[in-house]
Amino acid sequence: MKASSIKKEFARKELLKILVAISVLMLGCAIYYFYIRKDALRSAERRAEFTLKNTERIILVHLGRIETTVNAIQPMVEYALDDPDAMFDIARNTVKSDPHIMGAGVAFKAYYFPEKGYWYETYAGRQKNCDTLISKQLGSKEHNYFQMDWFQKGMASSKGFWSDPYYDNAGGKARLISYCLPVRDSTTNVVGVICTDVTLDTLASIIKNIKIYPNSYCTLTTLDGKLLVGPPASAKHKGKFHIYPKVIKSKNLIVTLTISDADMYKRLRKSTLFFSLMAITGILSIVFISYRSMQNLWKLNEVRMKEQHIEDELAIARNIQQSLLPSGQTIKSIKTLDIKGLQIPAKYVGGDLFDYYVRDNKLLFCIGDVSGKGVPAALLMAISHSLFRTISAHDERPDIIMEALNNAISENNPDIMFITMFLGVMDFTTGAIRYCNAGHNPPILIQNGQAKYLDTDPSLLLGVELSAKYTAHELTLEPGDTLFLYTDGLTEAENARKEVFGDDQALETATRFSSQTAEQQIEQMHQAVHVFVDHAEQSDDLTMLAIRYVRGDNTLVMENRIQELDKLEPFLNHFFKQESLDMTLLPQLDLALEEAATNVIMYAYPEGEKGKAELKMELKDGQILSILSDSGTPFDPLQCPDVNLNVSLEERKIGGLGIHLIKKIMNEVHYEYTDGKNVLTMTYKL
């Protein structure tokens, strides 16, 4: 009885083990099944994304080629406006230039060509399913193009656009979309519209060839929901579907890829029975133990691989982030600037940024610190870097740039990440800087061997409040001055005793290297921080940017645009201050040099040709030498006859007054043509 009880107990335990093994194994198979199902979904999503991107590229290339063709014939049409019959030749050549163009034409406003009547719409096109070209004048009561959307929209438009789909009864006899472009006369008034037709069959041939699964298909619609290319007749509409849209905003199109649930999980369903049989036949303790061991080993290996993969990706991200930093190569040619930056992230990637570049004789620069650390901060840093370059390329007002940056970051910022930033625009011919501070650490200003913090009025952080306003301030650097910018990774650097580097120590270090180059200033500040923290782990990103203004060669370069004359007065003002000259002499010299520069900008180069005027100032032997040179048409202004000021304005000949004024102000004026350049040397004795 006792032995029987022991056997029953043993059997019960073994049965319990088997039941536990079955339950665990079935649970494992179920989890694995759903994991594979999820992986199949991710795989389909990746394939769909790649396919849609490729389709977008094909459509953009296809339609872009049409746009390029039409844009190229626009000047031909405008040039031939005095010959209405030439429009037929232009239309035919347009159709012949691209086999995908169904037809092309030019429609003009009423009675534009009086001899052609009220309507005049030249058209050349292929007949459907035939390569034969036909040419005709389509405008009539039956084909009143004045009431058509593409013509009305084209007459009101300032650039090209794609029309909504329509059926063309008069020309192509097919469903079309058209690329339209306004035609302007010599007074820039819109007098007609160029229209190039592309059949929807052309787009359909692209869309219908997209098939990543046996029963998947693509459709093409406009942004307002009009169907251009629908699903194929063989498409099955039963069961669940996965839909992946791709918006092509520039062409007002949406490409949608549809994948059936049956296609996506077909292989998974076939393997379900196999997994079930594996679960049933594998209910042995040894198999269970082996499976558990293998599962643990597999998980461990997966963790190691994931860790290695993360490390590899972070290393790539670090390299990408470092590549965003400016190289400084373009600054080396600017003799009045000495600039150097350094960024050392605390982790693989950091949230600090600095950037600078030169545009229109100005240095645009910024330094910023993103809240948080790691990958999220690095992503926002990269976005901010790109936004700074994009926005500042169109505006050089620091407050306006800062407002645009804030709006772009605030619009889509669910995690309320913010950025502190100091942004400035420096005229490196005068040393004048306009800057804006969005809650960033005040820069260190190094002047006359002393360092002090710039007294800034910080505005709101970037990303906190949409439409926030920012205020710009100004300062002027004299030769030898440095503006030293940094993030809080400098002043808040900690050593092993949790002591911080601090504002005072940063200021003291900056004072010691006040007379050194920008690179030496950065190196010595970094060395001071390194010695202070000793071997303690870096707790925050460290970023520094030194902008040092040095004495230049006093040369001003102006393009042959009248607006460039605005640079002359600040340039002369800087030269007079630099050489400690009597400022009362400035107006006379400015007047004479403005006359000389105006002559070069207005008359040295043929109309429409770009050129430059270079003015070099020099103080020598008690004389101010002003050397103005250009590579325009050879011309000696000193050969102009003297102006007779004793006659009335009506009797006086036009011209010559400017050079007369220059001769009166300057003590000596000399002209020569050398090395392909006009060189006018003007001497003013002090």
Side-chain angles (χ1 to χ4, degrees):
M1 190 70 182
K2 188 176 181 180
S4 176
S5 298
I6 293 174
K7 287 182 179 180
K8 286 182 180 180
E9 182 66 20
F10 178 77
R12 187 182 67 82
K13 289 182 179 181
E14 292 300 315
L15 180 60
L16 183 61
K17 289 180 181 180
I18 292 174
L19 290 175
V20 171
I22 292 173
S23 300
V24 173
L25 187 57
M26 291 298 293
L27 178 61
C29 289
I31 293 173
Y32 188 69
Y33 172 83
F34 287 111
Y35 173 82
I36 294 298
R37 182 182 176 89
K38 187 176 181 180
D39 187 69
L41 177 62
R42 285 199 300 265
S43 176
E45 289 174 347
R46 288 194 294 268
R47 293 181 66 185
E49 181 182 4
F50 174 81
T51 301
L52 289 172
K53 283 185 177 179
N54 191 50
T55 303
E56 177 188 24
R57 181 185 62 80
I58 294 173
I59 291 175
L60 289 176
V61 169
H62 181 79
L63 297 182
R65 187 167 58 242
I66 304 297
E67 293 175 7
T68 301
T69 300
V70 179
N71 291 334
I73 69 167
Q74 183 191 32
M76 298 170 59
V77 172
E78 294 175 347
Y79 181 79
L81 285 178
D82 59 345
D83 185 6
D85 293 328
M87 303 304 161
F88 286 100
D89 293 332
I90 295 174
R92 282 192 294 270
N93 291 333
T94 302
V95 177
K96 290 178 182 179
S97 67
D98 193 326
H100 296 101
I101 297 177
M102 182 72 176
V106 188
F108 294 89
K109 66 181 183 179
Y111 291 118
Y112 182 72
F113 299 109
E115 70 275 21
K116 297 297 182 179
Y118 184 72
W119 293 280
Y120 191 61
E121 179 186 8
T122 61
Y123 174 82
R126 295 185 175 89
Q127 296 181 341
K128 193 172 182 181
N129 301 322
C130 179
D131 289 333
T132 303
L133 287 180
I134 59 170
S135 299
K136 53 185 174 180
Q137 199 285 114
L138 293 181
S140 65
K141 287 184 179 180
E142 293 74 24
H143 184 69
N144 188 357
Y145 59 86
F146 299 134
Q147 299 178 356
M148 296 181 181
D149 181 69
W150 62 267
F151 184 81
Q152 295 176 354
K153 195 173 178 181
M155 291 294 289
S157 177
S158 61
K159 59 182 180 180
F161 64 93
W162 285 95
S163 71
D164 290 331
Y166 64 94
Y167 186 83
D168 184 14
N169 286 313
K173 304 293 184 182
R175 290 195 73 209
L176 308 169
I177 59 172
S178 300
Y179 182 68
C180 305
L181 199 65
V183 176
R184 301 179 185 275
D185 62 13
S186 60
T187 62
T188 71
N189 292 322
V190 178
V191 299
V193 178
I194 304 171
C195 183
T196 306
D197 303 330
V198 180
T199 65
L200 291 182
D201 293 340
T202 303
L203 294 178
S205 64
I206 298 173
I207 297 301
K208 291 179 179 179
N209 285 330
I210 302 170
K211 190 177 289 291
I212 63 175
Y213 290 96
N215 297 309
S216 65
Y217 61 88
C218 270
T219 59
L220 184 67
T221 59
T222 61
L223 288 180
D224 55 4
K226 294 180 181 178
L227 184 66
L228 302 182
V229 180
S234 59
K236 298 178 181 179
H237 300 285
K238 294 182 180 180
K240 184 179 178 182
F241 288 84
H242 301 265
I243 298 175
Y244 302 94
K246 177 66 176 179
V247 179
I248 309 176
K249 288 186 178 180
S250 62
K251 299 297 179 286
N252 194 33
L253 299 174
I254 301 177
V255 182
T256 304
L257 177 61
T258 303
I259 305 172
S260 68
D261 195 82
D263 272 351
M264 189 176 293
Y265 301 117
K266 184 176 181 180
R267 293 181 62 186
L268 183 60
R269 290 191 177 96
K270 287 182 179 180
S271 61
T272 302
L273 180 60
F274 173 77
F275 283 120
S276 300
L277 292 174
M278 285 287 292
I280 294 173
T281 57
I283 310 306
L284 293 172
S285 57
I286 185 70
V287 176
F288 169 71
I289 295 171
S290 299
Y291 172 75
R292 186 174 62 180
S293 300
M294 289 294 293
Q295 188 182 45
N296 290 337
L297 289 173
W298 179 78
K299 287 182 178 180
L300 179 61
N301 185 57
E302 185 181 34
V303 169
R304 289 175 178 172
M305 290 179 64
K306 286 182 178 179
E307 290 177 348
Q308 183 61 45
H309 183 65
I310 291 172
E311 289 181 2
D312 292 343
E313 288 188 336
L314 288 174
I316 294 173
R318 182 188 182 98
N319 292 335
I320 293 174
Q321 190 177 49
Q322 291 295 315
S323 68
L324 293 175
L325 301 177
S327 64
Q329 292 299 319
T330 57
I331 309 296
K332 291 183 178 179
S333 61
I334 302 173
K335 298 181 179 180
T336 56
L337 280 183
D338 180 16
I339 186 167
K340 183 65 177 179
L342 175 68
Q343 183 189 63
I344 304 175
K347 305 296 182 183
Y348 273 92
V349 290
D352 283 3
L353 72 143
F354 77 87
D355 194 15
Y356 58 83
Y357 70 100
V358 170
R359 178 171 68 84
D360 298 334
N361 286 338
K362 290 182 175 60
L363 174 73
L364 294 93
F365 63 91
C366 71
I367 188 168
D369 187 356
V370 181
S371 62
K373 295 179 178 62
V375 175
L379 289 174
L380 186 55
M381 170 268 186
I383 293 171
S384 304
H385 176 277
S386 178
L387 286 171
F388 167 73
R389 284 280 178 139
T390 303
I391 296 170
S392 62
H394 304 285
D395 204 309
E396 59 185 32
R397 294 170 293 177
D399 50 337
I400 302 302
I401 298 172
M402 198 75 89
E403 288 175 10
L405 279 169
N406 176 67
N407 290 338
I409 295 169
S410 300
E411 281 180 353
N412 187 19
N413 189 13
D415 296 326
I416 316 297
M417 296 182 70
F418 59 84
I419 304 174
T420 68
M421 181 174 288
F422 187 95
L423 188 151
V425 179
M426 176 182 181
D427 187 339
F428 52 75
T429 61
T430 64
I433 298 178
R434 298 188 73 246
Y435 65 88
C436 193
N437 186 6
H440 196 73
N441 305 77
I444 297 174
L445 181 61
I446 305 173
Q447 291 180 320
N448 301 320
Q450 296 296 320
K452 64 178 181 179
Y453 286 104
L454 183 65
D455 186 14
T456 64
D457 183 16
S459 302
L460 193 64
L461 309 172
L462 297 180
V464 175
E465 179 181 332
L466 189 65
S467 301
K469 296 300 180 182
Y470 294 84
T471 304
H473 303 278
E474 295 185 8
L475 75 140
T476 300
L477 298 183
E478 297 296 332
D481 293 352
T482 298
L483 187 65
F484 191 91
L485 303 102
Y486 59 93
T487 60
D488 57 12
L490 172 67
T491 54
E492 296 178 10
E494 292 183 350
N495 58 21
R497 297 181 297 277
K498 299 299 179 181
E499 299 169 339
V500 297
F501 188 70
D503 295 339
D504 293 338
Q505 193 163 348
L507 208 61
E508 180 184 345
T509 306
T511 302
R512 290 202 306 267
F513 59 56
S514 59
S515 62
Q516 297 182 354
T517 66
E519 183 173 4
Q520 291 171 334
Q521 291 174 353
I522 292 291
E523 288 177 353
Q524 293 208 19
M525 184 66 80
H526 180 217
Q527 181 64 22
V529 174
H530 179 72
V531 171
F532 175 81
V533 300
D534 199 9
H535 297 292
E537 182 179 358
Q538 185 176 341
S539 58
D540 198 1
D541 304 330
L542 173 61
T543 302
M544 297 177 288
L545 177 64
I547 303 173
R548 190 166 183 265
Y549 188 54
V550 296
R551 185 180 296 272
D553 58 357
N554 294 317
T555 300
L556 174 65
V557 178
M558 296 175 285
E559 297 179 359
N560 59 332
R561 295 184 294 114
I562 197 66
Q563 297 85 349
E564 294 286 280
L565 289 173
D566 293 340
K567 299 178 180 179
L568 181 59
E569 185 178 352
F571 169 72
L572 292 177
N573 190 63
H574 172 72
F575 174 73
F576 268 64
K577 287 182 179 179
Q578 175 182 295
E579 302 296 344
S580 301
L581 297 175
D582 184 359
M583 297 300 290
T584 60
L585 303 177
L586 179 59
Q588 286 192 65
L589 202 65
D590 182 32
L591 181 61
L593 293 178
E594 184 175 336
E595 286 292 336
T598 301
N599 286 336
V600 174
I601 289 174
M602 297 295 295
Y603 307 114
Y605 298 92
E607 185 175 356
E609 180 180 324
K610 291 184 177 181
K612 293 182 179 180
E614 182 178 288
L615 176 63
K616 184 174 182 180
M617 305 293 296
E618 183 180 351
L619 183 63
K620 185 177 181 181
D621 299 330
Q623 301 179 116
I624 300 176
L625 297 181
S626 306
I627 304 171
L628 181 65
S629 61
D630 66 84
S631 55
T633 304
F635 176 71
D636 183 1
L638 302 181
Q639 297 300 318
C640 295
D642 293 338
V643 177
N644 187 358
L645 299 178
N646 297 321
V647 299
S648 64
L649 290 175
E650 292 79 5
E651 297 176 333
R652 190 184 306 163
K653 293 183 179 180
I654 297 175
L657 190 59
I659 193 64
H660 175 80
L661 182 62
I662 294 171
K663 290 178 179 179
K664 287 294 183 182
I665 295 175
M666 296 295 184
N667 296 100
E668 294 180 14
V669 183
H670 173 71
Y671 168 83
E672 65 176 339
Y673 186 78
T674 179
D675 296 331
K677 290 187 176 182
N678 295 295
V679 181
L680 187 66
T681 303
M682 296 161 282
T683 304
Y684 187 92
K685 296 181 180 180
L686 298 175

